[in-house]
Amino acid sequence: MIAKREEEIKQLDKKISDLREYDKICKQKKDQLKNTTNILDDILSEGLISDMNLRMLVKKILIHQNNDKSLDIRFEMNGEFNPSCSVFVEPEDETA
């Protein structure tokens, strides 16, 4: 009986420890999201994106030219953003 209760106490202590770690991770994620939100709020309040804001948001821009001369552009963001987005931009007529 005592051994069973001691095992239950161990399991509950582990759950408490796991929940504390989870809480710590949630707070870190929340802080990261606040930082990203503050950057976006600054950009929206100014009405335009400055070079400094762009550098804070975008880690890397990758551009690849396909065989048909179209471009694939990929942005690697610094903040917590949805990792995938596809946008098709109609090519402009270069003769116009």
Side-chain angles (χ1 to χ4, degrees):
M1 180 84 163
I2 292 175
K4 183 180 176 183
R5 296 295 179 218
E6 287 176 350
E7 184 61 32
E8 287 176 359
I9 290 170
K10 275 185 183 179
Q11 290 175 352
L12 290 172
D13 283 341
K14 175 141 178 41
K15 279 186 178 182
I16 290 170
S17 174
D18 291 346
L19 288 171
R20 284 184 178 145
E21 184 64 25
Y22 179 74
D23 187 51
K24 180 180 165 187
I25 291 170
C26 286
K27 287 179 182 177
Q28 290 172 346
K29 288 281 189 185
K30 183 179 175 183
D31 290 342
Q32 289 174 345
L33 287 173
K34 277 185 184 176
N35 185 34
T36 302
T37 303
N38 290 340
I39 293 170
L40 292 173
D41 285 343
D42 290 345
I43 292 169
L44 292 173
S45 68
E46 293 174 12
L48 58 106
I49 188 166
S50 68
D51 184 59
M52 181 183 74
N53 289 337
L54 185 61
R55 290 176 189 274
M56 290 173 66
L57 285 174
V58 180
K59 184 188 308 183
K60 190 189 304 185
I61 300 173
L62 301 167
I63 302 173
H64 176 264
Q65 185 174 12
N66 300 313
N67 290 335
D68 64 352
K69 304 292 184 195
S70 64
L71 297 177
D72 289 330
I73 302 172
R74 193 173 115 216
F75 293 86
E76 288 185 18
M77 308 301 278
N78 283 320
E80 298 291 321
F81 295 98
N82 185 350
S84 67
C85 178
S86 297
V87 177
F88 179 75
V89 177
E90 191 69 39
E92 294 181 15
D93 186 8
E94 293 181 10
T95 59

